[in-house]
Amino acid sequence: MSDAAQPTAAEVRAAVEAVKTALDRHLAAVERRTGEDDQAVYEAFNELASAAEAYDELLYDRYDEVTPFEIPGAEDSLPPYAGPGEPHAVSVLIRRDYSVAEPQRLLAQAQRVEAAEYEDGEGANDEAAATVPGALGVLFGEFEPDEIASRHAEFGLEEGDSTLWVTAADEPAEPGEWLEAPFDEVDPERVLCRFDVSAVFDEDHEDEDDDEDHEDDGIDDEALDELDADDELDGDDDLEPLDAER
């Protein structure tokens, strides 16, 4: 950046004063908050984030220095709630990602479901449970999504990221109204609450714990590899039985 384009020292000073003011306003809003979804707190938070980001940019442009603050970007946070004050309906949007970690376990469990459903062998579709896509269809058709989530390892799946959004509506949707495109019309300003689960949130923490464990247990990497090899799935012997009621 050229000297002519650089901010002045006075501009940097004004930006830091704006941060101080925004901090005071944010604290005052928090002290007066009336609930978890207090609009004043949301607004004060956004003002503080904006002021801190502006100061960070000016500080870098003028002095080539940065602040220790992590400013959330617009894509990382939801806008303030602007939906109905008394929602008459809510929609719950859920996305859960899985990877197929153990295909043979997945296939075996799907085949068990088919065998349990058609004990006499009539009507059973052996081909449906003989492929990974077919086995996934069998399992997700048999079990509720929450049960799949709680028993994913039993089904040979490994959890990825997941998110849950609760959105407010003025009135319940008409039957069949949104089934063709269930996630196309999500208004971020109507999101009441959101819950995200991702390995990135605890990645650093897990790395620290792993380092401590390796220092304390005295087991070298080769020994750990041998232990892991002994625990690998041997055919269907390690599969947990499905619920008897099913």
Side-chain angles (χ1 to χ4, degrees):
M1 178 178 288
S2 66
D3 292 339
Q6 284 186 344
T8 65
E11 289 175 327
V12 179
R13 174 59 60 181
V16 78
E17 292 299 329
V19 172
K20 295 176 184 178
T21 300
L23 279 168
D24 289 337
R25 289 176 178 172
H26 182 259
L27 177 58
V30 170
E31 291 173 337
R32 296 192 303 266
R33 72 186 308 161
T34 57
E36 292 186 1
D37 298 323
D38 192 299
Q39 185 70 19
V41 175
Y42 277 117
E43 292 176 357
F45 173 87
N46 289 332
E47 289 176 5
L48 176 57
S50 178
E53 184 175 15
Y55 169 60
D56 189 85
E57 291 179 356
L58 290 173
L59 185 71
Y60 181 79
D61 290 343
R62 176 67 185 183
Y63 300 110
D64 199 26
E65 291 289 344
V66 296
T67 67
F69 310 127
E70 181 179 353
I71 309 301
E75 70 279 2
D76 299 326
S77 61
L78 292 170
Y81 176 72
E86 297 183 4
H88 294 289
V90 296
S91 293
V92 180
L93 292 83
I94 302 175
R95 172 173 172 170
R96 296 188 179 114
D97 283 5
Y98 300 94
S99 57
V100 180
E102 299 179 78
Q104 292 305 315
R105 181 183 286 273
L106 173 71
L107 295 171
Q109 291 288 38
Q111 290 162 9
R112 287 185 177 185
V113 169
E114 289 287 276
E117 187 168 353
Y118 304 98
E119 293 181 359
D120 57 1
E122 296 183 5
N125 187 351
D126 294 334
E127 293 183 3
T131 65
V132 169
L136 288 168
V138 169
L139 291 176
F140 279 88
E142 175 69 14
F143 299 102
E144 294 290 336
D146 287 343
E147 186 166 4
I148 295 282
S150 65
R151 301 174 63 183
H152 63 277
E154 179 183 340
F155 298 140
L157 303 175
E158 184 176 318
E159 284 184 313
D161 289 354
S162 66
T163 187
L164 182 151
W165 294 25
V166 181
T167 65
D170 296 301
E171 299 294 339
E174 294 294 329
E177 180 179 348
W178 47 259
L179 290 179
E180 291 186 4
F183 304 111
D184 282 0
E185 299 182 2
V186 181
D187 185 351
E189 293 189 349
R190 287 183 170 237
V191 176
L192 295 163
C193 54
R194 170 179 174 175
F195 305 96
D196 297 328
V197 177
S198 175
V200 300
F201 298 149
D202 51 17
E203 209 169 56
D204 295 338
H205 179 68
E206 289 179 355
D207 290 342
E208 293 175 0
D209 289 345
D210 289 343
D211 291 341
E212 292 177 0
D213 291 342
H214 280 252
E215 290 175 0
D216 294 340
D217 57 24
I219 301 178
D220 59 22
D221 292 338
E222 291 184 2
L224 289 174
D225 291 340
E226 291 178 2
L227 290 174
D228 290 339
D230 292 339
D231 290 338
E232 287 183 356
L233 178 65
D234 183 12
D236 293 343
D237 294 341
D238 293 341
L239 289 172
E240 296 293 333
L242 299 171
D243 295 342
E245 296 181 358
R246 294 188 178 276

